[in-house]
Amino acid sequence: MTDPTDSPVPPPGAEITLRDVARLAGVSVSTASRVINRTCGVSPAYAAAVQAVLERFSYIPNNAARALVRQKTRTVGLVVPTLSNPLFAPSIAAIEATLRDAGYGLLVACSQRAPERELEQVRMMIERGVDGMILTGSHHLPATLGLLASRGVVLATQDDPAACAGALSVAMQDAAAMATVIDALVMRGHRTIGILTGPVENTLPIAERLRGAIQRLEHHGLPHGAGHIMETADYQAASSRRAARTLLDRVRGLTAIACTGDILAIGTIMECRRRGLRIPQDISIVGCGDTVMSQFVDPPLATIHLPFGTMGEQAARRLLCVMAGRPLPPTRPLPFRLIQRHTLNRMPRVPPGA
Amino acid sequence: MTDPTDSPVPPPGAEITLRDVARLAGVSVSTASRVINRTCGVSPAYAAAVQAVLERFSYIPNNAARALVRQKTRTVGLVVPTLSNPLFAPSIAAIEATLRDAGYGLLVACSQRAPERELEQVRMMIERGVDGMILTGSHHLPATLGLLASRGVVLATQDDPAACAGALSVAMQDAAAMATVIDALVMRGHRTIGILTGPVENTLPIAERLRGAIQRLEHHGLPHGAGHIMETADYQAASSRRAARTLLDRVRGLTAIACTGDILAIGTIMECRRRGLRIPQDISIVGCGDTVMSQFVDPPLATIHLPFGTMGEQAARRLLCVMAGRPLPPTRPLPFRLIQRHTLNRMPRVPPGA
DNA sequence: TATAAGTATGAGAACGCTTTCAGCAACCCG
DNA sequence: CGGGTTGCTGAAAGCGTTCTCATACTTATA
């Protein structure tokens, strides 16, 4: 009690540790720990004393020490292909919110669509002891998956239509979404429909969207050959404009263009405008994704709303379930719906090309 | 050497620890540690042996244990006001890339513009032992700053024109940017210029932009009273359209509208279109920010490019400097420039309102 | 009143790593 | 050839927690 190191106030620079708390409250470290973790069996008097010290010094537990003994960090890792493109922004936001509500921290990295980089980042995250990981997309190195499995890290994937992780995989109904676009056009009388798609290779969701569109055109007995389909080189506005031009030149009597992405649709709108085609009187244009941009284009773009926020939330929620040992709720397909803005109309009586 | 626990291969479920590595390589834990950390003074033979085991079992160090003794986690925290809005996406991407290159992990959270929430998240990050933090914006609770300071966490702020953290604060030249917009319009002959701004309260950058615009109008001896300025209720497209309508109704002979944000400019374009005003022949519209949207609007929006990516990168870079004890490079103002797209033109001879 | 059962408490080991310190060669110089 | 220097190595002490176990103290039961 007369120990000179036994000062009532901890030195200002150093952080207050559990031992300090215990000493200040006049209990043992074990008891202090029990109060913090709400483990039963602490007398009210001691509990109150510890609680008071906790608040007075705003004690923050050291997660590293905790992690060391518990082998859990209450942190999960997320790797997305890109951060600068706003596509995944709602998904990231939802994941962050869901995890935060559950007391988890979120470590974020960006793979720039390079699986090797993704592996490196997964290593980094395992090093930091993540309890779970969310991977985005469908292109992962076997080594990545193996590493995760060997370290006992729970893995969830999002936006991977191939569903490599089984029950913990949540993806859009990309094919069905584009089938809905085709149906909406056919229902409005369109018979000559062009398809504009982004680069299909290495992006399964886009490939799925294309597949869904083609299949549905076939189902309706409409032309769906290579002549009616145009693939852009990338997602720049200029490329999609160029592709739209080719498509409009190539297919006579085109009254509608279905695009597998909103940016492509925006490029198409621009090109149609340039040609003096009125939208939607002369030609209908439908996108897919409902990204922020689509409501700001002129005219506002009809598109399929894909619930990226819900996707992220579900991925996080299911991950939390598994980490907590709770049973997984049944998988339900992510809903999507057609947003009727101003670029979708009945087929004109006289096709502009005729 | 005949100890039964001394198996050459670690049990499959458990992770391989430094002790395992040492045992497998036939050296002490200290030596193995020295090899991993490239501390000098290990004989080549031993170094090679350890290296081999490291690779063979793909050893990943446990950062929690490391953090415990080093008091450093090589992780930094980032709090942004919003993730779903793509505004900060380039900044986050740049921060992530910069930190990753330096071997740092990034913990992300979103305050939803609520300072109390920000405090809570800073607590969470301190708990996880971040070495540094990047806070966004200018509204922080004193408790937040105090907490960070008392725990010795290095703090950098971004997008805070009030520069509360001194040398570690990197912000845009918002006022100067809008002054440039006014200059560009004046130089093209415009004399009756309207200003459309977002809600000024609680968003210092927007307030700064407005201030810059007003000051510059005054400098040129042009009208800059409340009648020429319109503040929207929020950042929805509909609100900015409504505000643009009021402004156009109120000010006769308006030939240009300067907006403190791109979304506002987009709403203005829509409203002008609806009235049959030709852009840019009848009216010029200039935005600020150069967000992804602005290049996809029709006509493509003239705006000020604000380097959000650079801002994030600089914040991260400066933070790294301080954490590494390196001297800070001199602060240089973030560059900005006018992007001349299609909505900026000379003043029409006959103003459309006349 | 003595014993069993139960409850609150604290001592101390462990978690996986870094780092100080001491030990032990081998070497150089006088 | 001895004492000092140098360079590599391993033992061991923490880092801040959690958690098991043993201990002391209550209370209920015989």
Side-chain angles (χ1 to χ4, degrees):
Chain A
M1 278 305 176
T2 51
D3 185 348
T5 68
D6 201 16
S7 62
V9 177
E15 268 129 67
I16 181 169
T17 77
L18 187 59
R19 223 195 4 231
D20 299 325
V21 171
R23 188 162 40 71
L24 291 165
V27 298
S28 75
V29 178
S30 329
T31 302
S33 173
R34 276 189 273 259
V35 173
I36 287 169
N37 297 296
R38 317 206 173 291
T39 313
C40 53
V42 174
S43 71
Y46 277 175
V50 172
Q51 202 58 252
V53 176
L54 250 33
E55 273 154 33
R56 177 148 153 49
F57 293 91
S58 65
Y59 167 80
I60 298 181
N62 180 328
N63 202 49
R66 231 177 218 189
L68 200 55
V69 24
R70 292 219 273 225
Q71 305 282 39
K72 290 270 170 286
T73 54
R74 288 191 84 78
T75 302
V76 339
L78 167 68
V79 182
V80 290
T82 156
L83 277 164
S84 41
N85 171 327
L87 182 65
F88 289 106
S91 161
I92 302 175
I95 290 173
E96 193 271 331
T98 307
L99 291 176
R100 170 161 45 73
D101 288 349
Y104 276 78
L106 178 64
L107 229 26
V108 172
C110 163
S111 69
Q112 294 173 290
R113 304 195 183 282
E116 312 76 38
R117 207 178 284 253
E118 185 184 67
L119 171 57
E120 200 182 312
Q121 288 164 340
V122 166
R123 272 187 74 93
M124 181 273 263
M125 286 175 170
I126 289 182
E127 190 169 326
R128 284 176 176 67
V130 292
D131 299 338
M133 284 248 24
I134 302 180
L135 253 31
T136 309
S138 39
H139 285 77
H140 313 294
L141 254 27
T144 306
L145 272 21
L147 190 60
L148 252 10
S150 78
R151 305 317 256 241
V153 176
V154 186
L155 171 65
T157 65
Q158 62 171 354
D159 205 32
D160 172 15
C164 69
L168 268 179
S169 178
V170 16
M172 298 294 177
Q173 302 185 64
D174 290 292
M178 280 306 285
T180 299
V181 170
I182 299 300
D183 282 351
L185 291 169
V186 170
M187 193 190 308
R188 284 168 180 77
H190 294 274
R191 311 295 296 167
T192 312
I193 301 169
I195 299 180
L196 194 66
T197 182
V200 160
E201 198 180 357
N202 273 354
T203 26
L204 212 45
I206 300 298
E208 277 293 288
R209 291 181 198 176
L210 179 59
R211 189 178 64 77
I214 295 176
Q215 225 166 43
R216 202 62 186 170
L217 282 177
E218 188 174 10
H219 169 264
H220 287 297
L222 297 177
H224 57 276
H228 286 68
I229 299 168
M230 188 66 205
E231 182 174 331
T232 68
D234 53 48
Y235 290 98
Q236 301 299 309
S239 318
S240 56
R241 249 182 111 150
R242 214 173 310 125
R245 183 174 315 162
T246 310
L247 194 62
L248 286 161
D249 286 342
R250 196 159 66 189
V251 185
R252 297 205 52 103
L254 209 55
T255 65
I257 297 182
C259 306
T260 60
D262 283 352
I263 294 191
L264 307 174
I266 293 171
T268 306
I269 290 177
M270 288 181 173
E271 175 59 20
C272 288
R273 262 235 167 81
R274 199 192 55 83
R275 295 178 168 235
L277 290 174
R278 292 167 306 157
I279 305 169
Q281 295 89 337
D282 298 332
I283 191 163
S284 287
I285 296 166
V286 185
C288 186
D290 193 27
T291 45
V292 255
M293 260 113 66
S294 55
Q295 54 179 307
F296 293 111
V297 207
D298 190 22
L301 179 69
T303 187
I304 295 281
H305 177 78
L306 292 179
F308 277 91
T310 312
M311 180 178 77
E313 187 199 310
Q314 293 232 350
R317 214 175 276 293
R318 298 179 80 81
L319 190 69
L320 287 170
C321 271
V322 174
M323 291 192 305
R326 273 177 281 132
L328 274 178
T331 314
R332 228 176 316 163
L334 288 175
F336 60 89
R337 67 178 197 284
L338 181 71
I339 309 281
Q340 241 295 31
R341 290 203 186 93
H342 298 290
T343 62
L344 172 57
N345 201 13
R346 293 203 57 77
M347 187 185 79
R349 296 188 200 197
V350 183
Chain B
M1 279 303 178
T2 51
D3 185 347
T5 68
D6 201 15
S7 64
V9 177
E15 268 129 66
I16 180 170
T17 76
L18 187 60
R19 211 175 36 212
D20 299 326
V21 171
R23 188 162 38 73
L24 291 164
V27 299
S28 74
V29 178
S30 333
T31 302
S33 171
R34 277 189 271 258
V35 173
I36 287 170
N37 297 297
R38 319 206 172 292
T39 314
C40 56
V42 174
S43 73
Y46 277 174
V50 172
Q51 202 59 251
V53 176
L54 250 34
E55 274 155 32
R56 178 149 152 47
F57 293 91
S58 66
Y59 167 78
I60 299 181
N62 180 328
N63 202 49
R66 231 176 217 191
L68 202 54
V69 25
R70 290 219 274 226
Q71 306 283 40
K72 289 269 171 288
T73 53
R74 289 190 83 79
T75 302
V76 339
L78 167 68
V79 182
V80 290
T82 157
L83 278 164
S84 41
N85 172 328
L87 182 66
F88 289 107
S91 161
I92 302 176
I95 290 172
E96 193 272 330
T98 307
L99 291 176
R100 171 162 44 73
D101 288 349
Y104 276 77
L106 178 65
L107 227 29
V108 172
C110 162
S111 69
Q112 294 173 290
R113 304 193 184 282
E116 311 77 36
R117 209 180 283 255
E118 185 183 68
L119 171 57
E120 200 182 313
Q121 289 165 340
V122 165
R123 271 189 75 93
M124 181 273 265
M125 286 174 168
I126 289 181
E127 189 169 329
R128 285 176 175 67
V130 292
D131 300 338
M133 284 249 22
I134 302 180
L135 254 31
T136 310
S138 39
H139 285 76
H140 313 294
L141 254 29
T144 307
L145 272 20
L147 190 60
L148 253 9
S150 77
R151 305 316 256 238
V153 176
V154 186
L155 170 65
T157 64
Q158 63 170 353
D159 204 31
D160 172 15
C164 68
L168 269 178
S169 178
V170 17
M172 299 295 177
Q173 303 184 62
D174 290 292
M178 280 306 286
T180 300
V181 170
I182 300 300
D183 282 350
L185 290 169
V186 170
M187 195 190 308
R188 284 169 180 77
H190 295 274
R191 310 296 295 170
T192 311
I193 300 170
I195 299 180
L196 195 64
T197 182
V200 160
E201 197 180 357
N202 272 356
T203 28
L204 212 46
I206 299 298
E208 276 295 288
R209 291 183 198 174
L210 178 59
R211 189 178 63 79
I214 294 175
Q215 222 165 46
R216 202 63 185 168
L217 281 177
E218 189 174 10
H219 169 265
H220 288 296
L222 296 178
H224 57 275
H228 286 69
I229 298 168
M230 187 68 207
E231 182 175 330
T232 68
D234 54 48
Y235 290 99
Q236 302 298 309
S239 318
S240 56
R241 250 182 109 152
R242 214 172 313 126
R245 182 173 318 159
T246 309
L247 194 61
L248 286 161
D249 285 342
R250 196 161 63 189
V251 185
R252 298 205 53 102
L254 210 55
T255 65
I257 297 182
C259 306
T260 59
D262 283 353
I263 294 190
L264 306 173
I266 293 171
T268 306
I269 291 179
M270 289 180 171
E271 176 58 20
C272 289
R273 261 233 167 81
R274 199 191 59 81
R275 296 178 167 236
L277 291 174
R278 292 167 306 158
I279 307 168
Q281 295 88 338
D282 298 331
I283 192 163
S284 286
I285 295 166
V286 185
C288 185
D290 195 26
T291 46
V292 256
M293 261 113 66
S294 57
Q295 55 180 305
F296 292 111
V297 207
D298 188 21
L301 179 69
T303 187
I304 296 281
H305 177 79
L306 292 179
F308 277 91
T310 311
M311 181 180 74
E313 187 198 312
Q314 293 232 353
R317 212 176 277 293
R318 297 179 82 82
L319 190 68
L320 287 170
C321 271
V322 175
M323 291 192 305
R326 272 179 281 132
L328 274 178
T331 314
R332 229 177 314 162
L334 289 174
F336 62 88
R337 65 178 198 284
L338 181 70
I339 309 281
Q340 240 296 27
R341 291 205 184 92
H342 298 290
T343 61
L344 173 57
N345 202 14
R346 291 203 59 78
M347 186 184 82
R349 283 168 223 220
V350 182

